[in-house]
């Protein structure tokens, strides 16, 4: 088995005296979709934000392609490590249009200074077209879009960054049936192009149809990781609720196919 694109080990995080994460670990591989599931407050978004550079871990390791990256210090640092993120709660900028939102953090410039608006709009339109996303004109302010449309734009924005590691926190939470299927197709394509895709989702149906592996978090700890082909919903639900005990910390669940 190859080196994981993203590996977390023993990640801990306190918010003041609140322990949000106690021991989070998982391995996400290129060419795979890795789902992270768990109840509300289990620590999924906090985990994503640590990898994304929004929060700093108090303990533990984050490795990208087998190399310890120390702390991811900022969103720009995450990008430099090849990580693109769609957040659950850090929305787009409402007063900016679709094209501008999609380019945030990576604005095309003319002569190194002036915003190249035409290029920005052309690129945004191209990405949306490639992804078959129909949200009308790229000059539409994001504030005028529906929740579902915004979410699709947020996914498109991360796809545009074209990074080897993609983190998506609840990418389908606000979506209807058709949009959910569409995001599922986009995720399948990202996997086919070799990216390591990490999705946080409450939708076990979506997880079972699009993920290769699933890691369950409970009360800030990794309960275990399973291949979706080797696990049933009952077991996953049991892991989420605590009915199924956690794997022992020394169980090599993440590496069980290593020769
Ligand atoms: N900025 C913060 N300050 C203080 N506590 C926080 C902060 N962010 C998260 N927490 C706490 O950390 C714990 C984990 O929260 P987190 O948002 O990671 O859960 P989650 O698994 O993403 O839940 P959900 O499924 O509801 O999105 C919760 O107890 C939450 O209250
Ligand atoms: Mg969350």
């Amino acid at each position: 088995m190859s080196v994981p694109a993203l590996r977390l080990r023993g990640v801990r995080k306190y918010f003041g005296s609140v322990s949000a994460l106690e021991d989070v670990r998982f391995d996400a591989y290129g060419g795979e979709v890795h789902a992270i599931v768990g109840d509300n407050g289990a620590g999924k978004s906090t985990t994503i934000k640590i990898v994304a550079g929004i929060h700093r871990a108090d303990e533990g390791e984050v490795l990208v392609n087998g190399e310890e990256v120390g702390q991811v210090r900022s969103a720009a640092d995450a990008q430099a490590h090849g990580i693109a993120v769609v957040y659950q709660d850090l929305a787009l900028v409402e007063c900016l249009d679709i094209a501008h939102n999609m380019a945030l953090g990576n604005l095309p410039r003319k002569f190194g200074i002036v915003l190249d608006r035409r290029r920005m709009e052309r690129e945004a339109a191209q990405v949306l077209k490639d992804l078959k996303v129909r949200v009308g004109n790229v000059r539409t302010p994001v504030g005028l879009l529906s929740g579902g449309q915004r979410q699709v734009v947020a996914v498109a924005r991360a796809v545009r960054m074209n990074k080897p590691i993609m983190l998506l926190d609840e990418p389908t939470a606000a979506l209807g049936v058709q949009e959910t299927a569409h995001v599922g197709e986009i995720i399948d394509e990202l996997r086919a192009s070799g990216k390591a895709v990490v999705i946080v989702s409450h939708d076990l149906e979506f997880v079972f149809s699009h993920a290769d592996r699933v890691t369950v978090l409970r009360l800030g700890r990794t309960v275990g990781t399973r291949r979706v082909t080797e696990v049933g919903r009952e077991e996953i639900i049991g892991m989420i609720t605590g009915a199924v005990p956690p794997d022992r910390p020394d169980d090599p669940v993440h590496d069980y196919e290593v020769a």
Side-chain angles (χ1 to χ4, degrees):
M1 193 71 205
S2 51
V3 175
L6 177 66
R7 163 173 284 194
L8 269 66
R9 282 291 178 272
V11 170
R12 262 179 181 274
K13 174 70 188 172
Y14 293 94
F15 291 108
S17 60
V18 176
S19 173
L21 303 182
E22 308 221 333
D23 179 12
V24 171
R25 52 209 189 96
F26 68 86
D27 289 344
Y29 292 92
E32 286 196 358
V33 176
H34 195 115
I36 298 183
V37 304
D39 249 331
N40 296 122
K44 306 177 298 294
S45 295
T46 304
T47 300
I48 295 293
K49 286 179 184 169
I50 283 170
V51 178
I54 304 291
H55 294 321
R56 305 282 172 89
D58 294 304
E59 274 178 48
E61 298 175 348
V62 176
L63 293 93
V64 173
N65 297 321
E67 291 191 20
E68 170 75 62
V69 300
Q71 297 276 5
V72 182
R73 301 192 170 278
S74 61
D77 196 21
Q79 280 195 42
H81 286 300
I83 299 165
V85 191
V86 180
Y87 298 102
Q88 178 180 20
D89 54 2
L90 297 183
L92 303 164
V93 182
E94 295 204 358
C95 59
L96 296 178
D97 66 23
I98 293 174
H100 209 143
N101 267 285
M102 285 180 61
L104 282 178
N106 185 14
L107 295 171
R109 305 262 181 206
K110 274 190 281 206
F111 319 115
I113 21 172
V114 191
L115 176 64
D116 189 344
R117 180 156 263 287
R118 280 180 63 180
R119 194 174 132 207
M120 183 175 86
E121 291 178 356
R122 201 172 52 232
E123 286 179 357
Q126 187 63 48
V127 171
L128 293 172
K129 187 164 169 250
D130 291 347
L131 297 176
K132 302 185 190 71
V133 173
R134 282 186 207 90
V135 282
N137 195 304
V138 295
R139 291 185 189 169
T140 308
V142 159
L144 297 182
L145 299 179
S146 75
Q149 287 174 323
R150 284 179 212 201
Q151 213 160 0
V152 177
V153 168
V155 171
R157 171 172 182 262
V159 171
R160 177 187 169 275
M161 290 183 193
N162 194 22
K163 299 292 182 194
I165 300 171
M166 305 262 312
L167 313 176
L168 302 112
D169 193 349
E170 298 283 4
T172 64
L175 302 188
V177 178
Q178 233 176 332
E179 287 167 314
T180 298
H182 188 182
V183 169
E185 283 166 25
I186 294 172
I187 287 172
D188 292 346
E189 280 170 27
L190 292 170
R191 169 212 281 124
S193 68
K195 296 188 190 309
V197 185
V198 176
I199 57 165
V200 170
S201 183
H202 279 282
D203 182 350
L204 285 189
E205 176 138 350
F206 189 83
V207 166
F208 272 85
S209 20
H210 296 284
D212 300 284
R213 285 171 221 251
V214 51
T215 290
V216 178
L217 298 191
R218 177 172 157 73
L219 306 174
R221 289 175 178 272
T222 292
V223 180
T225 296
R226 302 285 184 270
R227 278 179 180 280
V228 293
T229 51
E230 295 169 1
V231 71
R233 267 160 228 235
E234 268 82 292
E235 186 178 352
I236 294 296
I237 291 166
M239 291 165 85
I240 292 171
T241 59
V244 173
D247 295 343
R248 288 197 316 275
D250 53 344
D251 274 354
V253 285
H254 304 289
D255 313 312
Y256 57 96
E257 62 276 72
V258 173

